[in-house]
Amino acid sequence: MAEKMLAVMKKGKAPGAELIEVDIPKIKEDEVLVKIKACSICGTDVHIYNWDEWSQSRIKPPMIFGHECAGDVVEVGKNVKGVKVGDYVSAETHIPDQTCFLCKTGKMHICQNLKILGVDTNGAFAEYIAIPEICVWKNDKSLAPEIGSIQEPFGNATYTVMESQVSAKNIAIMGDGPIACFAAGIARVVGAAKIFGVGEFPFRVNLLNKMGANPVYSILKHKPVDEIMKATSGEGVDVVLEMTGAKKAIEDGFKILKKGGTFTAFGIPSGKIEFDLSNNVIFKGCNIIGINGRKMFETWYQLSNLLNNKLVDPSPVITHKFPLKDFQKGFDAILSPKKECGKVVLFP
Ligand SMILES: [Zn+2]
Ligand SMILES: [Zn+2]
């Protein structure tokens, strides 16, 4: 086997990234080596690429970033038991320590000492990646590599929707990013009654609609709060899936939430936000659910059932595909002011 590979690397403490030749990772005893077929760009990768405040505090260059991937196992460590060479896999990106209270009580996804693949370790924008066995998910051979690679964010959407118990309820999805679009498709399949979609950019609002939200609103031209309250006879929706982290969306989300409803928070605000606990939560008697990652591995079984049985087709959300060496074009598409893109997949 070749000893070198191409990888997209954050070389220094500055914006951007470089394609360089590096050594193929040497696996540890509990890891597998995966030859990557497809990897997709996540919001987290954009933070790292831009070298924003969060990445400055968390990322330690030089490192290979990227974490959403699908590929074939080409080597297994000597303590690996459940994965073999030739398996077609993807990666759960939350790396648990497997020893803390949370890991021992079925909550590995929020492990006390959580590490993230491609954030705290070398990642997937490369020809090969080392993945701890605990994070390996075996794919159905029929799954296209680009779909395999987006299962991690699709899993965020699955966890958000399933935890919110949307069946036969009116819901609103705040956000028009890829995960919000996936959530619309999943909510429709698991039987949400009406799915209101609230986004910003016309291209993405259209995607939200294509995936199953109807009606959809753009905050650039509609007043979604008024429209949704009118459409629900002034009562509001049973469930709000907040997938932006924007202060305005959070506020609007609580305005349109019915008394006794469920507010599910997935989008991460960039800082602290002021919040009316009395009126939004206490007097409303509502539930708030926080979503971090994917349940390991209940969410993966659910998302695989959705994808393998073709109940949800995520492909409309995959709008751009490039060879890995053209990763720059992928970031350009995501960073374009009009946001005329969904998910960008790269192929090594
Ligand atoms: Zn991701
Ligand atoms: Zn743990």
Side-chain angles (χ1 to χ4, degrees), residues 320-327 329-331 333 344-348:
H320 293 68
K321 297 178 192 177
F322 299 107
L324 181 68
K325 66 175 176 52
D326 293 334
F327 70 96
K329 288 183 187 162
F331 282 98
V344 176
V345 181
L346 305 170
F347 298 88

Side-chain angles (χ1 to χ4, degrees), residues 274-346:
E274 211 176 82
F275 178 75
D276 183 352
L277 187 73
S278 323
N279 288 308
N280 285 337
V281 181
I282 302 171
F283 298 138
K284 237 178 189 176
C286 75
N287 304 307
I288 300 183
I289 300 173
I291 298 291
N292 183 1
R294 297 139 297 276
K295 279 191 181 167
M296 294 165 71
F297 277 83
E298 187 183 339
T299 304
W300 285 87
Y301 284 100
Q302 292 169 336
L303 76 89
S304 285
N305 284 339
L306 294 172
L307 294 174
N308 296 342
N309 292 296
K310 312 233 177 300
L311 294 171
V312 181
D313 176 14
S315 50
V317 183
I318 300 171
T319 54
H320 293 68
K321 297 178 192 177
F322 299 107
L324 181 68
K325 66 175 176 52
D326 293 334
F327 70 96
Q328 196 73 53
K329 288 183 187 162
F331 282 98
D332 289 348
I334 294 173
L335 292 167
S336 71
K338 284 186 167 172
K339 298 271 180 283
E340 288 185 346
C341 83
K343 208 73 195 158
V344 176
V345 181
L346 305 170

Side-chain angles (χ1 to χ4, degrees), residues 42-44 67-68 152-153 156 343:
C42 177
T44 305
H67 56 267
E68 302 173 359
E152 193 251 19
N156 291 133
K343 208 73 195 158

Side-chain angles (χ1 to χ4, degrees), residues 190-265:
V190 301
K194 213 162 183 76
I195 305 170
F196 298 95
V198 181
E200 180 173 0
F201 303 100
F203 180 88
R204 289 183 156 185
V205 170
N206 187 40
L207 267 184
L208 197 58
N209 180 239
K210 225 185 204 168
M211 290 301 291
N214 187 26
V216 287
Y217 308 103
S218 161
I219 54 168
L220 301 176
K221 42 176 196 213
H222 302 108
K223 289 199 166 77
V225 171
D226 296 350
E227 304 270 1
I228 293 171
M229 290 312 282
K230 204 161 76 190
T232 54
S233 317
E235 288 181 353
V237 294
D238 303 290
V239 176
V240 170
L241 309 183
E242 206 305 294
M243 314 197 83
T244 72
K247 185 168 187 284
K248 169 87 173 127
I250 295 169
E251 283 168 357
D252 285 356
F254 277 105
K255 279 186 197 153
I256 58 171
L257 182 65
K258 199 188 252 185
K259 276 193 155 181
T262 295
F263 184 98
T264 306

Side-chain angles (χ1 to χ4, degrees), residues 61-74:
M63 58 95 65
I64 301 163
F65 60 121
H67 56 267
E68 302 173 359
C69 60
D72 295 325
V73 174
V74 292

